[in-house]
Amino acid sequence: MAKQEIPKAYEAKNHEDSIYAAWEQSGFFNPDNLKGEAFTIMMPPPNVTGVLHLGHALENTLMDSMIRYQRMRGRKTLLLPGTDHAALPTQAKVEKMLMEEGMKNPRQELGREKLVEKIRPFAEQSRTTILSQIKKLGTSCDWSRLAYTFDELRNRAVNELFRRMYEDGLIYRGLRVVNWSVRGQSTSSDDEIEHVERTAKLYTFRYGKDVPITIATTRPETKLGDTAIGVHPDDPRYASFIGQTFTADVGGASSLRLKVIADQQVDPAFGTGALGVTPAHSQIDFAMYETQKAKGDPIDLIPVIGSDGKMTSQAGVYAGLPVEEAREKFVGWLKKEGLMEKEEEITQNVGISDRYGDVIEAIPMTQWWLDVQKSIPGRGKSLRDLMREALTTGLHGDEKQKVIVNPDRFTKLYLDRVEHLRDWCLSRQIWWGHRIPVWYKGEEMVVGQQPEGEGWTQDEDTLDTWFSSGSWTFSTLGWPDKTVDLEAFHPTSWMQMGYEILYLWLMRMVLMSAYALDEIPFKEVYIHGILRDKNGQKFSKSLGNGIDPLEIIEKYSADALRFSVITGVTPGNDSRFYEEKVEAAQRLVNKLWNISRYILTSVEEPVHGQAFKELVPTTLADRWILSRLVRLEEEVSAHLQAAEFSQASEKLREFTWSDFADWYLEISKAQRQGETKASTDAILVYVLEHLLTYWHPIMPFVTEAIWSHFDDHELLMAHNWPVLRMVDLDLEAEAEMAWLQEAIGAIRNIRSENTVAPKQKVTVVMVGTNVEMHKGIIESLAGIESLTFASQPPTGEYASVVISDGQVFVSLQGLVNKEAERVKLGKEQKETESYIASLEGKLANEDFISKAPEHVVATMRQNLEDARKKLERYVHHSES
RNA sequence: GGGCGUUUAGCUCAGUUGGUUAGAGCGCUUCGUUUACAUCGAAGAUGUCGGGGGUUCGAAUCCCUCAACGCCCACCA
């Protein structure tokens, strides 16, 4: 083979797109072209609300590193890509854009169909962008199975799931108090609310002069809808009032009828111990309303706040006022009437819509709900039971149907949440999303799919977006049909997600999968943290600290980006991202490139694919580097298998830069001068091709680019992961090499301390050891002119250093600072002495000898022996 | 009000079941570089592993406690 021309630096731009195209064209992204046991990852579908951010870069790196490793290990791998229509966030985003363009109320001005027609192209555009960005990151997913939560197949799955749950009595329609966003004009689930601490005013007052009970509230205006006064059943202050009804003519609004009821949930220690019960505008009060109804002692429900955030007609003279004005007016009236007893500042948590940012109002509405506690017909278990089982005993006590969470602490959070789960409000009043699959005609109602015939109208509401993403692991495989894919790839093997969607997504995937298939959605889930900026702040638009992953790829390389988001990161913990990290990673990429460049351009005929047995390790360095490679394979495999990406990449970096580049390559330069050339060349090529293979899952592009310089046309991506044998470890060579490295380091140290220029050759005498066979290595790596071995220290101007197995003397005519030498040796001697003392102490301890494992004691004894030998040399030296 | 996480070199972080004298990257200091790579090489400095207590032959690692920072949950109206 002719010598190759390889550029000095790796220019990622010239390679990445064409490499990705070659991968795609090869067909190996598609498991149909692969053999072996299935290994499946469903890509968490990015929202079509814009472009990819760094978090996606992290996720794609995690998924792709895992899938590439498994593919190379001979698994039939499927990484299925997709996107999420993200109902509310997408509609909110488009509405915001329209409003920025001058529209006041897009929903009102456009109406349902026209608004959806505005959202669709935006979503499509966003999808296209995102999909191309995923390719830029190198993600090896099967594009032939691309899915979208809002396409026809997924819609069919969603409708079918809804129908089954309805028929099982789990989905019901009911009047309940919902979380209402006035700004968004829609309900939210409990999980879509953020709690923000605020200061608020707590008002303490009586409803009227004839009402003997004082209550406290931060929302006086809602008191216009009060229908009861709640007290704790054991509270002696109010015991005599329980059951009585008082009337009050509040603020000229309406006449309230307030029944005093006893309820365990009332905290006698808060405020006055009496609670104004507003069933229409409080979850807890609504629960009391239901309890009273069940008891046969019902109280009324009076909505005084409407979906527009203004007071309703039932609020009398307050009707039409925004809540804040109503509050002010009512407070004014209370004061005027002398009913107000106290006003104080308190801090409280308010629920905020996480998308629209306004305070959530509790409003009674008829909505669709999913009951998580009801027993599923024929199964004797509720959805809650299934969700619990999946992470504890495994579904039906089957260990194989258990989801393993990494790190484990998130299991606890999940389970805690499962126990406190309330019914899930499924319906939304936005328009971008799967429409509730229910049709009405007069009194008739059909669920699942549109019935034949005229006159049917579909429910106006849409489904919570998590209803469709919850079914992602199987809707993507063709469910509800019994497809080959579903059989082959479900439950999926591995999933990764950020902890911020643990509740939103993990729980719902488990719920949906357990319900629809009686299977867990995946066997293992890896929880990652979020990427923060250099100062530990979240990346956000408002802070303006965002980093576009594509710009990073453009400036450095996709491999450097991948390496830098994955390294130094542990599951479940946040990490910081900044360009210096990418720079360091890019240096590593370039290092690998140049190692390869050196080997491929200087070895005349790189023999590709040699077997370990065919190699002829001739020198110590040969044996050593092969042993190190065996160790590397073992470690990297174990780390990747365990999803310890950071550790895997650290091991690879260490081997690449230190063992291979700094040591073996340098030694090889001498070895290639003589008769060991052929064997050295073979080993260089062997180690290189293995190293590229092991790097490939993490840095796929540069490894593939280098691989293409080998003689055949096989893609590295489709190459088998070479498994080496532990029996080929050469412990003797590793120990001997470690000593040699120490000796060379010692000589270099003396040179450096005495500022001997690297070019200046020195004369070295080594005492107390005989390693003449490695003379050449020491000479070439330590810049030595003459290396001799002696039994006695030489006389004359020498600087010396004591090493584990001997002493090194470096001649330094006129350069030695004898005093400095003495001080240095004296210091080292002291350190050795105290080290010996500590070892002797340990070894003199009977308990240690009897209780510590043998190998620990043996190592300690060996260390002591070595240290004593070393000390002798110091003593000897100071005497001479 | 509960719960969780973090605290290791100047900075960012590893440290796998407790076991040699605690590591990496970046930064810093010195010297060098026609010879794969200045996106480089060699050498070097820097740590009472947040504080205190305990268990153990042995603790960065396990237990208790305190502190600082961060996060999550919760219907004190």
Side-chain angles (χ1 to χ4, degrees), chain A residues 197-339:
Chain A
E197 194 166 90
R198 288 194 176 177
T199 58
K201 223 173 233 181
L202 182 69
Y203 301 92
T204 304
F205 59 86
R206 285 185 295 152
Y207 295 91
K209 293 194 169 71
D210 303 332
V211 183
I213 300 175
T214 306
I215 55 127
T217 182
T218 52
R219 297 287 308 269
E221 72 281 10
T222 64
K223 301 294 102 182
L224 299 168
D226 280 11
T227 56
I229 296 170
V231 298
H232 194 271
D234 304 331
D235 194 330
R237 292 172 292 180
Y238 305 114
S240 61
F241 296 121
I242 293 170
Q244 291 189 41
T245 300
F246 297 97
T247 54
D249 188 21
V250 278
S254 56
S255 184
L256 294 183
R257 298 187 73 254
L258 301 155
K259 186 182 285 178
V260 181
I261 59 171
D263 196 298
Q264 291 284 351
Q265 295 189 73
V266 179
D267 177 3
F270 184 86
T272 62
L275 163 70
V277 180
T278 324
H281 301 293
S282 155
Q283 306 268 6
I284 185 169
D285 295 4
F286 183 78
M288 292 181 190
Y289 162 84
E290 299 251 273
T291 309
Q292 290 301 123
K293 193 155 76 178
K295 274 193 205 163
D297 183 19
I299 56 176
D300 290 333
L301 181 140
I302 306 171
V304 290
I305 300 172
S307 60
D308 57 358
K310 291 177 180 162
M311 303 306 285
T312 64
S313 58
Q314 304 207 54
V317 297
Y318 296 90
L321 289 179
V323 290
E324 293 80 7
E325 287 177 34
R327 182 181 312 165
E328 215 171 293
K329 184 169 172 180
F330 182 47
V331 166
W333 178 83
L334 285 169
K335 284 182 182 166
K336 201 182 81 194
E337 295 294 310
L339 297 167

Side-chain angles (χ1 to χ4, degrees), chain A residues 368-406:
Chain A
W368 288 96
W369 302 84
L370 179 63
D371 191 329
V372 294
Q373 337 201 28
K374 192 170 174 184
S375 175
I376 305 165
R379 294 219 220 167
K381 282 172 190 166
S382 66
L383 292 171
R384 190 203 301 279
D385 295 335
L386 295 179
M387 280 189 273
R388 186 190 306 114
E389 277 184 7
L391 268 81
T392 49
T393 60
L395 292 174
H396 318 302
D398 180 359
E399 271 288 321
K400 283 184 196 154
Q401 290 289 335
K402 176 175 170 175
V403 178
I404 306 291
V405 182
N406 177 23

Side-chain angles (χ1 to χ4, degrees), chain A residues 754 816-826:
Chain A
N754 295 285
V816 183
N817 178 340
K818 290 213 165 155
E819 188 50 34
E821 275 292 303
R822 190 170 304 133
V823 170
K824 192 182 110 185
L825 287 168

